[in-house]
Amino acid sequence: MTLPPADPFLRLRARGAATNPAGRFEPLEHARESDGWDLPEEERLLATEVREERPRSLINYVASPDLPFDRTINPYRGCEHGCSYCFARPGHGYLGLSPGLDFETRLIARPEAAAVLARELGRRSYRVAPIAIGTNTDPYQPIERRYRIMRAILQVLSDWNHPVSVVTKGTLIERDIDLLSDMAGRGLVQVGVSVTTLDPALSRAMEPRAPAPARRLAAISRLTAAGVPVRLMVAPVVPVLTDHELEALVAAGAGAGVASAGWILLRLPHEVAPLFRDWLAKACPGRAAHVLNRLREMRGGADYDAEWGKRMRGEGVHADLIARRFALALRRHGLDREGPALRCDLFAAPPRPGDQMALF
């Protein structure tokens, strides 16, 4: 499948997608066509737009044997980091938007998220378990600097002594080290920082608005120095482009003080596959076929296999080799162990003005 060309008068700066195809639920595809008039048109820069949403509920419950959690929170829809490989892109289709440029330029913020979360935690029927944040779109993407939704959510979770795991590429997480360090002292938080490659040029091409790899490693060092347990996320592993860096990535994470590390193979569900193929053809034309052929070897001949137990790791000789190399690298750096589980026994409603103080 060849994607339609982008608007020739639309200037793209630091975007992961170059096109804006319709989502899989849309009955029509819109394309720009010349009207035949030889008139100059003014070029315009594609800017990021943010709309606000008032969620009726915030905690999203999931049931997947591949995931170590059963509930998530998404402060934002869409992600300005614009990673060309992002498996969350198809989610924009449920909003009637494109998984292409719309996903990284037409964002939705949920400013009332913290208040909604507090109401949900206060329900009698609620049963505590770790909440995962950042498993779909990044909670520390650039617009968090203005909205501060993630910080408000962390404050609610801290007040309730509620366990949470956070995954991010964003170095804005350093702003919240005070909250994270305090929660870590109570065994309530774990942070995963995603580092896909150590090559700044490749990172810039694949993850155009995410911090550079060295900057993410510096954020890991700051977090670990503050007592926050950090897990290095080598995700995704892109065959041919980044798989040769496994050992170097683990070594860099160990040097920054991570407590553990994990990896996930490149995932290309639904509309992500043609978008990533389009990116490969433009960014890495000499290696595009090699990347896709190697990936298909690990995906049963297809661009993607969503079967439980295979979607995160793939299968076959090359997938097994990646798993073995990663395990050896973890053992070499003393990272072949899981840290303590997050505590759920401290969960309790925060005191309110006028409450009687406990005697003991």
Side-chain angles (χ1 to χ4, degrees):
M1 173 182 176
T2 301
L3 297 180
D7 182 343
F9 300 102
L10 189 64
R11 184 157 55 95
L12 306 181
R13 180 183 294 167
R15 301 297 183 185
T19 57
N20 215 31
R24 65 190 185 281
F25 304 116
E26 301 303 307
L28 301 174
E29 177 84 44
H30 299 274
R32 286 178 60 92
E33 294 289 345
S34 173
D35 57 11
W37 291 91
D38 189 18
L39 297 174
E41 292 195 41
E42 185 177 350
E43 185 182 68
R44 61 187 178 88
L45 177 67
L46 180 61
T48 301
E49 303 174 9
V50 183
R51 290 182 289 172
E52 296 182 2
E53 175 185 81
R54 295 182 176 179
R56 288 178 293 182
S57 62
L58 194 68
I59 301 176
N60 175 48
Y61 291 90
V62 296
S64 168
D66 290 331
L67 301 176
F69 51 83
D70 70 349
R71 62 199 70 184
T72 67
I73 286 176
N74 294 303
Y76 302 99
R77 298 179 188 268
C79 186
E80 196 176 2
H81 283 158
C83 301
S84 59
Y85 50 72
C86 183
F87 70 87
R89 286 180 176 272
H92 247 41
Y94 293 105
L95 306 175
L97 299 173
S98 171
L101 287 169
D102 281 352
F103 176 78
E104 48 195 288
T105 62
R106 300 180 68 180
L107 312 179
I108 295 174
R110 309 166 105 181
E112 299 178 19
V116 175
L117 175 61
R119 289 200 301 269
E120 290 184 275
L121 297 184
R123 292 173 182 162
R124 290 187 177 182
S125 60
Y126 184 74
R127 297 293 178 267
V128 63
I131 289 176
I133 308 179
T135 59
N136 198 47
T137 58
D138 202 313
Y140 285 106
Q141 59 181 284
I143 60 172
E144 166 64 14
R145 188 177 303 277
R146 169 160 53 110
Y147 280 93
R148 300 175 67 88
I149 299 172
M150 183 59 186
R151 183 170 179 89
I153 287 173
L154 280 179
Q155 186 64 67
V156 169
L157 294 172
S158 178
D159 292 344
W160 284 78
N161 283 309
H162 195 294
V164 61
S165 62
V166 181
V167 177
T168 184
K169 289 183 175 73
T171 54
L172 185 56
I173 193 173
E174 294 173 337
R175 178 201 64 192
D176 296 338
I177 280 181
D178 58 334
L179 280 173
L180 293 167
S181 178
D182 179 62
M183 294 179 73
R186 288 174 274 156
L188 296 175
V189 69
Q190 294 174 348
V191 171
V193 176
S194 173
V195 185
T196 312
T197 176
L198 296 175
D199 182 342
L202 179 58
S203 175
R204 176 69 172 169
M206 282 200 306
E207 310 155 336
R209 298 203 175 197
R215 185 65 185 84
R216 287 180 237 174
L217 290 168
I220 291 174
S221 295
R222 286 200 63 191
L223 288 163
T224 57
V228 180
V230 179
R231 181 176 178 84
L232 175 71
M233 303 299 300
V234 182
V237 174
V238 184
V240 179
L241 292 188
T242 71
D243 58 352
H244 64 283
E245 296 186 70
L246 287 179
E247 291 81 3
L249 284 162
V250 173
V258 299
S260 60
W263 68 278
I264 298 175
L265 183 64
L266 176 67
R267 299 170 57 193
L268 301 177
H270 303 300
E271 297 97 332
V272 186
L275 284 166
F276 188 73
R277 289 197 299 265
D278 183 64
W279 176 84
L280 269 177
K282 292 179 173 65
C284 309
R287 292 186 285 176
H290 192 185
V291 172
L292 293 172
N293 288 338
R294 180 63 56 83
L295 179 66
R296 288 164 183 158
E297 287 179 21
M298 293 187 275
R299 294 295 190 191
D303 287 336
Y304 183 55
D305 181 0
E307 184 178 344
W308 303 128
K310 296 180 181 179
R311 61 182 186 146
M312 301 292 193
R313 293 286 190 265
E315 59 182 335
V317 174
H318 292 294
D320 290 344
L321 181 59
I322 288 174
R324 292 180 184 180
R325 286 173 53 202
F326 199 80
L328 286 172
L330 294 183
R331 191 180 311 160
R332 185 176 304 122
H333 295 282
L335 300 176
D336 54 338
R337 60 187 184 279
E338 294 294 330
L342 294 173
R343 294 186 64 177
C344 295
D345 58 308
L346 301 178
F347 179 72
R352 297 172 298 179
D355 284 353
Q356 183 176 349
M357 297 181 66
L359 294 177
F360 303 100

